[in-house]
Amino acid sequence: MLPRGYSLLFSLLLLGGCAPEGPRREQAPAQEPATSEVLVQAVDATTGAELSDAEVTIRYLARAPITLDAAGVDRVPSAEPYRITGPVAEDSLVLELRLEAPSYFKLDTVVSVARGSTAGPFRLAMAPRTDRRAAGGGGGAPTGGRTPAAPPPQPSGAEDEDRTSLLAGDRAFETGDWRTAAGQYRRMITPRNRAGAYAREYQRALVRQGIAFINLGDWQGALEALQEAVAFDFREYTAFFYLGQVQCVVGQYEAGRQSLNHIREWLTLHISEAQRPVVFALLDFQLGMCSYGEFSNARIQADLDRARQRALGEFQSFMDKANAFPAMPPEIQAAVGQAQRIMSEIRVRDPGPF
């Protein structure tokens, strides 16, 4: 889901626009209680099939109605949908979920169901911790990258893999034909040697496929392509940057922060010295956007306060780095305007020490 006022950084940079603002939530009047039911199903993000682990731990907490004391934790078979029910007297039941399985990264998300209705089963894609990946794909509307830029095509090595679809995807990507690019990248041959030259080309193409899906508004397709990209051992920091953005957009805040922080913690040496000031500034900006997403969706006061302070601190760190540039790069200048607007909004809702 796209929180109010949230836009991907590269939508801002290339298109100069933001996501349209949605209406603020209003307190719904009390109604006759009716049973609402949500069904969720954990699946492997790379295959769409059931998890390799036999069981998954599901934790949930009711965000709305705020008066509904509903919380729980269960370890259940991963191959079966999990059912959560509760009587609701307001318009909807909103649940915060965390899914955990030994072979996968934790997944944090939010689901909702209208009063008296059944929703789902929601298929919640969990990213494997191993290198078990299949060729990715998805469906698809707008964004692209300036900094970090989409990895450029690399010259072919001696390997004999058929690069027809990869090269066709590159040509469509360069012209902004996102749907054709995404479709061609889906047809790429999976590398037989994950350490070879073609594997590196394949990984970079997966990043461009993720960008194409972002431009098509297909967050699940982007998520799958970028998760496959980071499974390779090549240190492609743009894969983690875009993955972190998408994870935060779809509500996987913890995973998104991990992906973004991975760049600073592990990939610094893989970023040129000339690029580092811009990349690290934009990391702070994107972390602030991730916290702003949490702030926009928070329904519990403790969550609201934590996300508020975190977002303001991260945006302030970004502003400090932005103001340190002798001549502010265009992408930084564009992000400054959005950061200032968001910080003003947060302060209006709760004037604080920042």
PDB file of all heavy atoms in Angstrom, residues 312-339:
ATOM      1  N   LEU A 312      11.947  12.448  11.649  1.00  0.00           N
ATOM      2  CA  LEU A 312      12.522  13.788  11.764  1.00  0.00           C
ATOM      3  C   LEU A 312      14.041  13.724  11.878  1.00  0.00           C
ATOM      4  O   LEU A 312      14.756  14.530  11.276  1.00  0.00           O
ATOM      5  CB  LEU A 312      11.918  14.516  12.966  1.00  0.00           C
ATOM      6  CG  LEU A 312      10.473  14.973  12.797  1.00  0.00           C
ATOM      7  CD1 LEU A 312       9.916  15.496  14.118  1.00  0.00           C
ATOM      8  CD2 LEU A 312      10.356  16.035  11.720  1.00  0.00           C
ATOM      9  N   GLY A 313      14.545  12.762  12.639  1.00  0.00           N
ATOM     10  CA  GLY A 313      15.992  12.634  12.776  1.00  0.00           C
ATOM     11  C   GLY A 313      16.674  12.270  11.464  1.00  0.00           C
ATOM     12  O   GLY A 313      17.725  12.813  11.123  1.00  0.00           O
ATOM     13  N   GLU A 314      16.053  11.351  10.717  1.00  0.00           N
ATOM     14  CA  GLU A 314      16.654  10.919   9.447  1.00  0.00           C
ATOM     15  C   GLU A 314      16.575  12.020   8.396  1.00  0.00           C
ATOM     16  O   GLU A 314      17.534  12.237   7.641  1.00  0.00           O
ATOM     17  CB  GLU A 314      15.960   9.643   8.970  1.00  0.00           C
ATOM     18  CG  GLU A 314      16.338   8.440   9.828  1.00  0.00           C
ATOM     19  CD  GLU A 314      15.331   7.303   9.745  1.00  0.00           C
ATOM     20  OE1 GLU A 314      14.198   7.528   9.277  1.00  0.00           O
ATOM     21  OE2 GLU A 314      15.681   6.187  10.168  1.00  0.00           O
ATOM     22  N   PHE A 315      15.448  12.719   8.335  1.00  0.00           N
ATOM     23  CA  PHE A 315      15.346  13.824   7.387  1.00  0.00           C
ATOM     24  C   PHE A 315      16.323  14.941   7.750  1.00  0.00           C
ATOM     25  O   PHE A 315      16.899  15.587   6.878  1.00  0.00           O
ATOM     26  CB  PHE A 315      13.923  14.355   7.328  1.00  0.00           C
ATOM     27  CG  PHE A 315      12.999  13.536   6.471  1.00  0.00           C
ATOM     28  CD1 PHE A 315      11.782  13.099   6.955  1.00  0.00           C
ATOM     29  CD2 PHE A 315      13.346  13.208   5.168  1.00  0.00           C
ATOM     30  CE1 PHE A 315      10.930  12.345   6.169  1.00  0.00           C
ATOM     31  CE2 PHE A 315      12.500  12.452   4.369  1.00  0.00           C
ATOM     32  CZ  PHE A 315      11.287  12.014   4.877  1.00  0.00           C
ATOM     33  N   GLN A 316      16.512  15.181   9.056  1.00  0.00           N
ATOM     34  CA  GLN A 316      17.460  16.221   9.459  1.00  0.00           C
ATOM     35  C   GLN A 316      18.877  15.828   9.076  1.00  0.00           C
ATOM     36  O   GLN A 316      19.676  16.667   8.632  1.00  0.00           O
ATOM     37  CB  GLN A 316      17.379  16.470  10.960  1.00  0.00           C
ATOM     38  CG  GLN A 316      18.215  17.663  11.420  1.00  0.00           C
ATOM     39  CD  GLN A 316      17.787  18.944  10.719  1.00  0.00           C
ATOM     40  OE1 GLN A 316      16.629  19.351  10.794  1.00  0.00           O
ATOM     41  NE2 GLN A 316      18.733  19.604  10.037  1.00  0.00           N
ATOM     42  N   SER A 317      19.214  14.535   9.223  1.00  0.00           N
ATOM     43  CA  SER A 317      20.532  14.063   8.800  1.00  0.00           C
ATOM     44  C   SER A 317      20.712  14.259   7.294  1.00  0.00           C
ATOM     45  O   SER A 317      21.783  14.662   6.832  1.00  0.00           O
ATOM     46  CB  SER A 317      20.699  12.588   9.171  1.00  0.00           C
ATOM     47  OG  SER A 317      21.954  12.098   8.749  1.00  0.00           O
ATOM     48  N   PHE A 318      19.658  13.973   6.542  1.00  0.00           N
ATOM     49  CA  PHE A 318      19.711  14.212   5.094  1.00  0.00           C
ATOM     50  C   PHE A 318      19.917  15.690   4.796  1.00  0.00           C
ATOM     51  O   PHE A 318      20.746  16.053   3.957  1.00  0.00           O
ATOM     52  CB  PHE A 318      18.427  13.721   4.428  1.00  0.00           C
ATOM     53  CG  PHE A 318      18.214  14.291   3.055  1.00  0.00           C
ATOM     54  CD1 PHE A 318      19.024  13.916   1.994  1.00  0.00           C
ATOM     55  CD2 PHE A 318      17.220  15.235   2.830  1.00  0.00           C
ATOM     56  CE1 PHE A 318      18.852  14.467   0.723  1.00  0.00           C
ATOM     57  CE2 PHE A 318      17.028  15.784   1.575  1.00  0.00           C
ATOM     58  CZ  PHE A 318      17.850  15.400   0.512  1.00  0.00           C
ATOM     59  N   MET A 319      19.179  16.559   5.474  1.00  0.00           N
ATOM     60  CA  MET A 319      19.294  18.000   5.231  1.00  0.00           C
ATOM     61  C   MET A 319      20.708  18.491   5.540  1.00  0.00           C
ATOM     62  O   MET A 319      21.261  19.324   4.810  1.00  0.00           O
ATOM     63  CB  MET A 319      18.263  18.749   6.067  1.00  0.00           C
ATOM     64  CG  MET A 319      16.816  18.474   5.702  1.00  0.00           C
ATOM     65  SD  MET A 319      16.375  19.044   4.040  1.00  0.00           S
ATOM     66  CE  MET A 319      16.478  20.815   4.281  1.00  0.00           C
ATOM     67  N   ASP A 320      21.300  17.963   6.613  1.00  0.00           N
ATOM     68  CA  ASP A 320      22.668  18.361   6.961  1.00  0.00           C
ATOM     69  C   ASP A 320      23.636  17.976   5.849  1.00  0.00           C
ATOM     70  O   ASP A 320      24.521  18.763   5.477  1.00  0.00           O
ATOM     71  CB  ASP A 320      23.090  17.705   8.277  1.00  0.00           C
ATOM     72  CG  ASP A 320      22.318  18.250   9.468  1.00  0.00           C
ATOM     73  OD1 ASP A 320      21.715  19.332   9.344  1.00  0.00           O
ATOM     74  OD2 ASP A 320      22.313  17.576  10.522  1.00  0.00           O
ATOM     75  N   LYS A 321      23.482  16.775   5.325  1.00  0.00           N
ATOM     76  CA  LYS A 321      24.361  16.330   4.239  1.00  0.00           C
ATOM     77  C   LYS A 321      24.091  17.141   2.972  1.00  0.00           C
ATOM     78  O   LYS A 321      25.023  17.506   2.240  1.00  0.00           O
ATOM     79  CB  LYS A 321      24.149  14.844   3.967  1.00  0.00           C
ATOM     80  CG  LYS A 321      24.688  13.910   5.057  1.00  0.00           C
ATOM     81  CD  LYS A 321      24.462  12.463   4.676  1.00  0.00           C
ATOM     82  CE  LYS A 321      25.119  11.513   5.681  1.00  0.00           C
ATOM     83  NZ  LYS A 321      24.493  11.572   7.015  1.00  0.00           N
ATOM     84  N   ALA A 322      22.818  17.433   2.700  1.00  0.00           N
ATOM     85  CA  ALA A 322      22.472  18.198   1.500  1.00  0.00           C
ATOM     86  C   ALA A 322      23.080  19.593   1.549  1.00  0.00           C
ATOM     87  O   ALA A 322      23.610  20.095   0.549  1.00  0.00           O
ATOM     88  CB  ALA A 322      20.954  18.280   1.359  1.00  0.00           C
ATOM     89  N   ASN A 323      23.012  20.216   2.700  1.00  0.00           N
ATOM     90  CA  ASN A 323      23.533  21.586   2.843  1.00  0.00           C
ATOM     91  C   ASN A 323      25.053  21.635   2.816  1.00  0.00           C
ATOM     92  O   ASN A 323      25.638  22.720   2.677  1.00  0.00           O
ATOM     93  CB  ASN A 323      23.012  22.201   4.135  1.00  0.00           C
ATOM     94  CG  ASN A 323      21.521  22.484   4.069  1.00  0.00           C
ATOM     95  OD1 ASN A 323      20.983  22.798   3.012  1.00  0.00           O
ATOM     96  ND2 ASN A 323      20.840  22.358   5.198  1.00  0.00           N
ATOM     97  N   ALA A 324      25.706  20.478   2.936  1.00  0.00           N
ATOM     98  CA  ALA A 324      27.168  20.447   2.918  1.00  0.00           C
ATOM     99  C   ALA A 324      27.729  20.449   1.496  1.00  0.00           C
ATOM    100  O   ALA A 324      28.933  20.652   1.316  1.00  0.00           O
ATOM    101  CB  ALA A 324      27.675  19.212   3.674  1.00  0.00           C
ATOM    102  N   PHE A 325      26.867  20.241   0.499  1.00  0.00           N
ATOM    103  CA  PHE A 325      27.355  20.248  -0.889  1.00  0.00           C
ATOM    104  C   PHE A 325      27.676  21.686  -1.303  1.00  0.00           C
ATOM    105  O   PHE A 325      26.838  22.583  -1.141  1.00  0.00           O
ATOM    106  CB  PHE A 325      26.298  19.683  -1.833  1.00  0.00           C
ATOM    107  CG  PHE A 325      26.161  18.187  -1.792  1.00  0.00           C
ATOM    108  CD1 PHE A 325      25.168  17.577  -1.032  1.00  0.00           C
ATOM    109  CD2 PHE A 325      27.033  17.376  -2.510  1.00  0.00           C
ATOM    110  CE1 PHE A 325      25.035  16.208  -0.988  1.00  0.00           C
ATOM    111  CE2 PHE A 325      26.911  15.994  -2.473  1.00  0.00           C
ATOM    112  CZ  PHE A 325      25.909  15.410  -1.707  1.00  0.00           C
ATOM    113  N   PRO A 326      28.859  21.926  -1.866  1.00  0.00           N
ATOM    114  CA  PRO A 326      29.169  23.273  -2.361  1.00  0.00           C
ATOM    115  C   PRO A 326      28.165  23.706  -3.427  1.00  0.00           C
ATOM    116  O   PRO A 326      27.731  24.857  -3.453  1.00  0.00           O
ATOM    117  CB  PRO A 326      30.581  23.123  -2.939  1.00  0.00           C
ATOM    118  CG  PRO A 326      31.147  21.911  -2.264  1.00  0.00           C
ATOM    119  CD  PRO A 326      29.986  20.997  -2.025  1.00  0.00           C
ATOM    120  N   ALA A 327      27.837  22.778  -4.322  1.00  0.00           N
ATOM    121  CA  ALA A 327      26.799  23.007  -5.327  1.00  0.00           C
ATOM    122  C   ALA A 327      25.872  21.805  -5.256  1.00  0.00           C
ATOM    123  O   ALA A 327      26.272  20.684  -5.582  1.00  0.00           O
ATOM    124  CB  ALA A 327      27.404  23.150  -6.722  1.00  0.00           C
ATOM    125  N   MET A 328      24.641  22.029  -4.829  1.00  0.00           N
ATOM    126  CA  MET A 328      23.724  20.924  -4.570  1.00  0.00           C
ATOM    127  C   MET A 328      23.327  20.231  -5.872  1.00  0.00           C
ATOM    128  O   MET A 328      22.802  20.868  -6.783  1.00  0.00           O
ATOM    129  CB  MET A 328      22.476  21.446  -3.845  1.00  0.00           C
ATOM    130  CG  MET A 328      21.627  20.358  -3.219  1.00  0.00           C
ATOM    131  SD  MET A 328      20.219  21.082  -2.301  1.00  0.00           S
ATOM    132  CE  MET A 328      21.075  21.894  -0.937  1.00  0.00           C
ATOM    133  N   PRO A 329      23.583  18.904  -5.996  1.00  0.00           N
ATOM    134  CA  PRO A 329      23.166  18.176  -7.209  1.00  0.00           C
ATOM    135  C   PRO A 329      21.651  18.233  -7.390  1.00  0.00           C
ATOM    136  O   PRO A 329      20.907  18.354  -6.412  1.00  0.00           O
ATOM    137  CB  PRO A 329      23.633  16.733  -6.933  1.00  0.00           C
ATOM    138  CG  PRO A 329      24.695  16.863  -5.890  1.00  0.00           C
ATOM    139  CD  PRO A 329      24.291  18.037  -5.048  1.00  0.00           C
ATOM    140  N   PRO A 330      21.167  18.160  -8.626  1.00  0.00           N
ATOM    141  CA  PRO A 330      19.726  18.293  -8.869  1.00  0.00           C
ATOM    142  C   PRO A 330      18.894  17.279  -8.108  1.00  0.00           C
ATOM    143  O   PRO A 330      17.817  17.617  -7.603  1.00  0.00           O
ATOM    144  CB  PRO A 330      19.617  18.077 -10.392  1.00  0.00           C
ATOM    145  CG  PRO A 330      20.959  18.352 -10.938  1.00  0.00           C
ATOM    146  CD  PRO A 330      21.945  18.018  -9.876  1.00  0.00           C
ATOM    147  N   GLU A 331      19.366  16.021  -8.026  1.00  0.00           N
ATOM    148  CA  GLU A 331      18.584  15.016  -7.329  1.00  0.00           C
ATOM    149  C   GLU A 331      18.483  15.309  -5.837  1.00  0.00           C
ATOM    150  O   GLU A 331      17.461  15.042  -5.202  1.00  0.00           O
ATOM    151  CB  GLU A 331      19.164  13.611  -7.565  1.00  0.00           C
ATOM    152  CG  GLU A 331      20.618  13.440  -7.197  1.00  0.00           C
ATOM    153  CD  GLU A 331      21.549  13.709  -8.361  1.00  0.00           C
ATOM    154  OE1 GLU A 331      21.231  14.579  -9.188  1.00  0.00           O
ATOM    155  OE2 GLU A 331      22.599  13.046  -8.436  1.00  0.00           O
ATOM    156  N   ILE A 332      19.543  15.865  -5.271  1.00  0.00           N
ATOM    157  CA  ILE A 332      19.512  16.248  -3.855  1.00  0.00           C
ATOM    158  C   ILE A 332      18.577  17.437  -3.663  1.00  0.00           C
ATOM    159  O   ILE A 332      17.771  17.484  -2.724  1.00  0.00           O
ATOM    160  CB  ILE A 332      20.925  16.588  -3.356  1.00  0.00           C
ATOM    161  CG1 ILE A 332      21.837  15.356  -3.445  1.00  0.00           C
ATOM    162  CG2 ILE A 332      20.873  17.119  -1.938  1.00  0.00           C
ATOM    163  CD1 ILE A 332      21.456  14.225  -2.532  1.00  0.00           C
ATOM    164  N   GLN A 333      18.668  18.414  -4.548  1.00  0.00           N
ATOM    165  CA  GLN A 333      17.824  19.605  -4.451  1.00  0.00           C
ATOM    166  C   GLN A 333      16.344  19.231  -4.522  1.00  0.00           C
ATOM    167  O   GLN A 333      15.521  19.756  -3.769  1.00  0.00           O
ATOM    168  CB  GLN A 333      18.179  20.582  -5.569  1.00  0.00           C
ATOM    169  CG  GLN A 333      17.518  21.946  -5.420  1.00  0.00           C
ATOM    170  CD  GLN A 333      18.066  22.940  -6.426  1.00  0.00           C
ATOM    171  OE1 GLN A 333      18.836  22.582  -7.313  1.00  0.00           O
ATOM    172  NE2 GLN A 333      17.684  24.191  -6.284  1.00  0.00           N
ATOM    173  N   ALA A 334      15.999  18.292  -5.401  1.00  0.00           N
ATOM    174  CA  ALA A 334      14.609  17.867  -5.520  1.00  0.00           C
ATOM    175  C   ALA A 334      14.141  17.168  -4.258  1.00  0.00           C
ATOM    176  O   ALA A 334      13.021  17.391  -3.772  1.00  0.00           O
ATOM    177  CB  ALA A 334      14.458  16.935  -6.724  1.00  0.00           C
ATOM    178  N   ALA A 335      15.007  16.323  -3.687  1.00  0.00           N
ATOM    179  CA  ALA A 335      14.634  15.608  -2.467  1.00  0.00           C
ATOM    180  C   ALA A 335      14.518  16.554  -1.277  1.00  0.00           C
ATOM    181  O   ALA A 335      13.713  16.312  -0.367  1.00  0.00           O
ATOM    182  CB  ALA A 335      15.658  14.512  -2.184  1.00  0.00           C
ATOM    183  N   VAL A 336      15.299  17.620  -1.260  1.00  0.00           N
ATOM    184  CA  VAL A 336      15.220  18.598  -0.164  1.00  0.00           C
ATOM    185  C   VAL A 336      13.809  19.177  -0.063  1.00  0.00           C
ATOM    186  O   VAL A 336      13.254  19.313   1.029  1.00  0.00           O
ATOM    187  CB  VAL A 336      16.260  19.724  -0.373  1.00  0.00           C
ATOM    188  CG1 VAL A 336      15.925  20.942   0.492  1.00  0.00           C
ATOM    189  CG2 VAL A 336      17.654  19.221  -0.027  1.00  0.00           C
ATOM    190  N   GLY A 337      13.222  19.531  -1.204  1.00  0.00           N
ATOM    191  CA  GLY A 337      11.877  20.093  -1.175  1.00  0.00           C
ATOM    192  C   GLY A 337      10.869  19.142  -0.564  1.00  0.00           C
ATOM    193  O   GLY A 337      10.005  19.551   0.229  1.00  0.00           O
ATOM    194  N   GLN A 338      10.967  17.854  -0.911  1.00  0.00           N
ATOM    195  CA  GLN A 338      10.033  16.889  -0.351  1.00  0.00           C
ATOM    196  C   GLN A 338      10.283  16.673   1.131  1.00  0.00           C
ATOM    197  O   GLN A 338       9.341  16.570   1.932  1.00  0.00           O
ATOM    198  CB  GLN A 338      10.130  15.553  -1.103  1.00  0.00           C
ATOM    199  CG  GLN A 338       9.014  14.583  -0.728  1.00  0.00           C
ATOM    200  CD  GLN A 338       8.958  13.391  -1.651  1.00  0.00           C
ATOM    201  OE1 GLN A 338       9.852  13.177  -2.457  1.00  0.00           O
ATOM    202  NE2 GLN A 338       7.917  12.599  -1.533  1.00  0.00           N
ATOM    203  N   ALA A 339      11.557  16.611   1.524  1.00  0.00           N
ATOM    204  CA  ALA A 339      11.875  16.434   2.945  1.00  0.00           C
ATOM    205  C   ALA A 339      11.349  17.601   3.779  1.00  0.00           C
ATOM    206  O   ALA A 339      10.794  17.404   4.867  1.00  0.00           O
ATOM    207  CB  ALA A 339      13.384  16.288   3.112  1.00  0.00           C
TER     208      ALA A 339
END
